[in-house]
Structure formats: structure tokens, C-alpha cells
Amino acid sequence: MKRMLCSMLLVLTMVLCAGSASAAPKKVLNYSNGDAPDVLEPVMSNYIKTSFIIYNLYCGLSRTGRDGVAEPAYAESYEVSDDSLTYTFKLRPNSKFSDGSPLTAHDWEASFKHKIAPETASPGVNLYLLVKGAEAYNQGKGGADDVGIKALDDNTLRITFENPTLFFMDVIARYIPYKMDVLKSDPNWFKKPETYVSNGPFRVKAVDPQTGFVLEKNPYYYDADNVHIDEVNYNFISDQAVGLEAYRSGSLHIFDDLTSAEAIKSYKGTPEMLSFPRINTDYISVHTGNLPDPRVRKALSLALNRPVLINDILGQTYKPAEGLVPYGIHWGNKEFREVAGPLVKTDLEEAKRLLAEAGHPNGEGLKTIRIITMNNQEDTDTAQAWQAMWKQIGINSEITTYERSVYWDVLYTNDWEVARDGWTGDYDDPRTNLFLWMAYKQGPDTDVRWYDTPNAKKFEELMRAADKETDSEKRLRLYMEAERVILDDMPIIPVWHGDDTILVKPEVSGITKNNIGYISFNFADIKTD
């Protein structure tokens, strides 16, 4: 069956890539990172698999360079006000969308305001709310004219932030323009190549929600001369074993869904396995309404043997979590994590002591904990490991698995105690992994009941103070204290700091991933016969 599916994939690729016999050989890249994303358009997406596509179809005011550092893109230059709040960007003249129509500062302003409009209800607005007036408008408490993004003319865009934003170059890479007239006139614009208008290094050539996208080089991209790949076949393959076989057989150049311990072991140490750092922490979300005693939550954390879970059970390359803020976030020339030190550990005796102190010696009288997770192999193996480790201190648990499309809805319910979760930050700053638990955040990322505790209020105060602090050292100290405060209450339990491990054929070069984990074909090349 797997061989037949791989053969079908190869035939599909050949059909999609077919062209004139007299044409010069195209540089076509075949790629997969698993199954189809739930949402295929950029406004309503907040899911990383969709972002992998969007990151190659769109480009912000800045972009991630070859060295992983943000650099100017559609913003050719900028000036900063004395108070470090206002940035005035000069856009590249004659910028265009992928259909050849003009792209101006007015498009950036209109797109930004559409994204955060309360009636749009986009889930992925976190970075947008850093702009002055954006949060109020998003929550229906302010007007669009009060939002701090203004087109001064066709080539000049002014952005005013609510607070000093030292990481602004990372942030403005996420502000992307939409073809607003198309978007508003056709609700299915993202399902058709002729209406899927973008501005990045690639544009959409073909769309099949079941099998994948075909991307082609965007001739109107400002840096098109340095894009070497002609087409990317972005294949949706839900079965990881099938995807791996497609890579081994040569049907795929890049396989970006590498979580199988066996596969990692077989390719580890070879030139084909590439690892990229990611500012990620996977954690356990705790329903604090159903587990209100922080001593019980701390006991759950102390009972986890993270190295055993990562190395022996999952066979992964992750790092055991030492806090909420992962490696990859810097404090000057050092890592934030190194300065802040480890805040989580394994200690079964201390876990038992806390349970007894909470009135549950050896787990007595404590209800069976409901674990929810997605039904893929890694998540299921992880949940079973938690279950076994918690059993050692007398805590009983039961596991319920869900399809990914259902799982996030379940997180809005009260039918669980602990849930598999995680977050990959957007910029090199500790705020990106801490802001999720600020009071303005609602939804499955947080449990609002935690905000009623003294530690929650202290955490909020520290985060708000850090947001307004312009002294870098003082600001980082505030974030360090905020992290200690939240982990003293343990509404979330850090488990590991993730990385991105992918397989790339030797004939492919220039593949990059940013610290969020998004792959870029912008600098890629491939040797052709």
C-alpha cells in the first residue's frame, strides 16, 4: 500500500510539473510536512502548518535572512523616534503584488486593520496588538482611525507601538499585505490560484485542498532575481510512514514531518538530517479550575522524568525543559535560560511530600486526572509516559485522544484536568513565551481562572512593567521574575524545548528555517541533470 501511494505521489508530481518539451529544465522542489492544515488562508490562520505555506507566499516589511537574523525586505529603510515608539518606513518603490498590481503603504495599512478588526475575529493577532490602539480596536473599544499604523503616502508607512519594542524587526516580518479588493469580493479567494494573490518569493499555481499546493516563482517579488527555485510541490501526506517512504524513494526532496524515533535514529549523524533551533516550549496546560491546588500541580511536574521521556521513549532530539522561556532567547551575549537558571526538575520524594501536604498522601482522595491529547503517535506516547510517571506517586489518570480538528475545541471545555500543549515564539525576546498568560489573553492558551490568584496578579504587574521598561537589563530581570512567579503556581508544566529536524536530499542547498520553525525556499537551490 505504501509503495502504491508513493508511486501515485510521483505520478502526481510529474503531471503537475509537466511543461513544454523545448523549455529549459525547471528547478522543481518536492516537499511535505505532513497532512493538510486546517485553514489554508492567512487571515484566519494561527496554525504552524499553514504558516509554512504563508511564509513562502508572503513577505513582510522585514524578512529572515540567510543567517537567521531579520533584515529589511519591503521596507527599504526606516527612522526611529527619540522615544523608540514610532517607526517610519520607506517602502521599496514600484512594489507589486504577485498579480503585477501596485503594492503601496495604503495596502499595508488596510491589511493590518482588517486583520485586527473585531468583525474579522482572526485568532493570530498577538503581534499586531503591540501597535498603539490595536488592542482596543480588536476588542471593540476603539476605532480603526486610532490604530497606530498610517500610510503617509504610497511609499511611506508609519507605525507607532504601545510600548518600546526592541524586537520590532522580528515583529514587522509578520505584518503582511492582502489584496483587499479580492479578499472582500470573494470569500473563497484562497481556494483558487487566480485569486490567491500574495507578495512573497512564490505565488500559487495550483490548489488542491486534499493533496497539496503547487507554488511557482513570483516574478514580481522585489528580490526575484535571487530566487532560484522555479516551482515547489507542497504535498499533503497524512501518514508519516508514507511520507518517509516517499523521501527514501526520491519522490520528495524534503521531508519535514520527522518525529518517528526509528527514522531519526536511522538518519542521525548523516548529512541529510538537518536540525534547526526553535524558540519553542512544549508544556502541559493545567485546568486550574479542576486542579486548584498548586501543590498538586507542582507534584505533577516534579514526577516527570523529562530526559527519559525525550530520549528513551520518544527517541527525540529535544532538550528537557528548564522553564517556560526556551533556549534561543538571548540576554546580551548569553542565553536567557542560562542566566535565569533551571526552574523545573524531577524529584519524586518532593512530589510525594507536596501531595501529602495537600491532603492526598500517596494520591489518596485525589480524583482521576483526565488527560487530553491529539491522537498522533508522539502525543499518545507522551501522554502514556505522563500516566506511568504520575502513577509512581499514586496519581491515577485516564487518557482521551482526539483528532487535531476537534482537539482545540475540547480545550475550551471543562472536561479535562491536563492537556498536551505548546508554543513557539515569534521573536528573540522572553515576552514571546510569557505573554500567553497575561490577563488580556483568552481562549485555550490560558485558563482565565488562574487570574484570580495573588501570583497571577503579581505576574501581570511584572509583565506590564517589563513592557514599558526601556532599560534592557532591567526589562529582562522583570521577565525573569515573572517566569519564576508563574512557575511557582504551575498553571502550566514545561516539558521540553523543541527543535526542528528535517530530511533534505544532498542535491538541495540553501534551505533555512527561522527560529519559529517556518521553512523558507527563498534561498534554496537544487542541482539538475
Side-chain angles (χ1 to χ4, degrees):
M1 182 65 178
K2 292 178 182 177
R3 290 183 180 273
M4 184 170 67
L5 285 169
C6 287
S7 298
M8 291 170 63
L9 173 63
L10 184 56
V11 170
L12 173 64
T13 298
M14 293 171 66
V15 170
L16 290 171
C17 297
S20 170
S22 61
K26 286 185 177 181
K27 292 186 176 182
V28 180
L29 199 61
N30 297 314
Y31 168 85
S32 178
N33 79 326
D35 55 355
D38 296 330
V39 181
L40 292 173
E41 62 97 18
V43 180
M44 298 306 295
S45 171
N46 194 33
Y47 186 56
I48 193 167
K49 284 186 180 290
T50 311
S51 299
F52 280 24
I53 302 173
I54 294 170
Y55 192 60
N56 289 281
L57 291 174
Y58 290 88
C59 181
L61 296 168
S62 66
R63 70 177 186 182
T64 302
R66 292 176 184 270
D67 58 358
V69 178
E71 62 184 21
Y74 276 93
E76 192 172 43
S77 63
Y78 62 89
E79 295 179 355
V80 187
S81 63
D82 291 340
D83 60 5
S84 299
L85 293 176
T86 301
Y87 296 78
T88 304
F89 298 94
K90 282 294 181 183
L91 306 187
R92 295 181 185 275
N94 301 314
S95 294
K96 298 181 185 298
F97 281 106
S98 61
D99 63 351
S101 60
L103 169 57
T104 73
H106 301 283
D107 295 302
W108 295 92
E109 178 184 350
S111 300
F112 186 101
K113 290 179 177 178
H114 173 73
K115 177 81 170 181
I116 65 170
E119 61 270 21
T120 302
S122 172
V125 297
N126 298 322
L127 293 181
Y128 288 70
L129 302 187
L130 297 171
V131 170
K132 185 176 182 180
E135 184 178 340
Y137 177 49
N138 180 252
Q139 295 180 356
K141 300 175 182 178
D145 291 341
D146 299 322
V147 178
I149 182 168
K150 306 289 181 186
L152 305 183
D153 56 45
D154 282 353
N155 294 314
T156 310
L157 185 70
R158 185 180 64 204
I159 299 178
T160 302
F161 289 98
E162 195 74 53
N163 298 300
T165 307
L166 307 182
F167 44 89
F168 81 97
M169 281 294 284
D170 289 325
V171 171
I172 61 174
R174 311 294 180 262
Y175 299 166
I176 58 176
Y178 313 120
K179 186 73 172 172
M180 290 301 301
D181 57 338
V182 174
L183 186 149
K184 289 188 174 182
S185 64
D186 185 355
N188 294 312
W189 66 272
F190 56 92
K191 297 180 180 180
K192 299 170 288 185
E194 60 270 24
T195 52
Y196 205 133
V197 181
S198 58
N199 75 317
F202 297 90
R203 62 185 182 184
V204 175
K205 181 180 180 181
V207 180
D208 186 326
Q210 303 303 316
T211 61
F213 274 54
V214 179
L215 313 183
E216 66 179 359
K217 180 178 176 179
N218 174 14
Y220 301 106
Y221 181 52
Y222 82 92
D223 195 28
D225 289 346
N226 292 312
V227 176
H228 304 297
I229 298 297
D230 295 304
E231 288 186 5
V232 179
N233 291 319
Y234 196 114
N235 302 283
F236 301 150
I237 306 176
S238 58
D239 189 323
Q240 185 178 124
V242 173
L244 189 60
E245 181 60 29
Y247 176 81
R248 285 173 172 155
S249 70
S251 299
L252 292 176
H253 293 107
I254 303 173
F255 183 55
D256 197 1
D257 190 28
L258 191 62
T259 59
S260 161
E262 181 182 352
I264 290 174
K265 184 178 180 180
S266 63
Y267 280 98
K268 195 171 184 178
T270 70
E272 293 184 50
M273 192 171 101
L274 305 181
S275 290
F276 299 87
R278 185 154 55 102
I279 48 176
N280 159 266
T281 300
D282 271 45
Y283 50 81
I284 300 170
S285 285
V286 184
H287 191 305
T288 57
N290 290 339
L291 282 181
D293 195 323
R295 292 170 295 187
V296 174
R297 301 196 294 263
K298 288 180 185 178
L300 292 174
S301 178
L302 288 163
L304 294 181
N305 191 321
R306 293 164 177 83
V308 167
L309 168 60
I310 295 166
N311 301 321
D312 300 344
I313 297 173
L314 300 181
Q316 273 292 353
T317 57
Y318 311 141
K319 290 183 178 179
E322 296 183 3
L324 267 181
V325 179
Y327 286 91
I329 301 294
H330 292 89
W331 187 314
N333 294 325
K334 298 180 179 179
E335 292 266 2
F336 178 93
R337 188 74 271 139
E338 293 173 354
V339 178
L343 300 181
V344 294
K345 61 180 181 179
T346 302
D347 190 333
L348 293 181
E349 293 307 312
E350 177 64 8
K352 293 175 182 178
R353 188 192 69 79
L354 285 173
L355 273 184
E357 186 180 290
H360 304 290
N362 299 314
E364 293 175 13
L366 187 65
K367 61 184 174 183
T368 298
I369 290 177
R370 295 167 295 178
I371 303 170
I372 62 170
T373 190
M374 284 184 269
N375 62 356
N376 62 69
Q377 193 63 53
E378 181 176 277
D379 283 12
T380 302
D381 290 347
T382 298
Q384 289 172 350
W386 298 344
Q387 187 177 47
M389 291 172 184
W390 291 336
K391 185 67 176 177
Q392 294 179 86
I393 59 172
I395 293 179
N396 294 314
S397 58
E398 60 185 23
I399 301 169
T400 304
T401 64
Y402 297 91
E403 294 286 342
R404 189 185 70 234
S405 59
V406 177
Y407 181 69
W408 303 109
D409 292 332
V410 177
L411 276 177
Y412 280 100
T413 74
N414 294 315
D415 301 330
W416 55 277
E417 274 74 50
V418 299
R420 170 85 160 77
D421 210 340
W423 184 257
T424 298
D426 294 289
Y427 45 88
D428 186 357
D429 190 88
R431 188 185 191 279
T432 193
N433 288 87
L434 293 173
F435 83 99
L436 289 172
W437 293 276
M438 293 179 72
Y440 79 86
K441 282 288 295 175
Q442 305 291 325
D445 293 325
T446 59
D447 186 336
V448 295
R449 278 157 289 215
W450 182 65
Y451 299 132
D452 294 332
T453 71
N455 267 7
K457 294 173 182 176
K458 185 177 180 181
F459 173 82
E460 184 74 17
E461 291 171 2
L462 290 165
M463 291 294 293
R464 295 289 181 181
D467 279 350
K468 295 188 177 299
E469 182 57 64
T470 57
D471 183 286
S472 180
E473 183 70 18
K474 291 180 180 177
R475 184 169 169 276
L476 289 168
R477 293 283 174 191
L478 287 166
Y479 284 135
M480 187 169 71
E481 179 61 20
E483 184 187 38
R484 289 184 180 277
V485 167
I486 191 172
L487 291 182
D488 188 52
D489 253 21
M490 240 1 134
I492 60 278
I493 301 171
V495 180
W496 65 63
H497 302 310
D499 60 9
D500 269 302
T501 303
I502 66 175
L503 296 178
V504 180
K505 291 294 185 183
E507 62 267 28
V508 177
S509 61
I511 294 297
T512 60
K513 277 202 168 195
N514 64 6
N515 55 12
I516 309 174
Y518 301 167
I519 194 167
S520 172
F521 308 119
N522 197 73
F523 309 111
D525 205 347
I526 183 170
K527 293 179 182 178
T528 56
D529 296 332

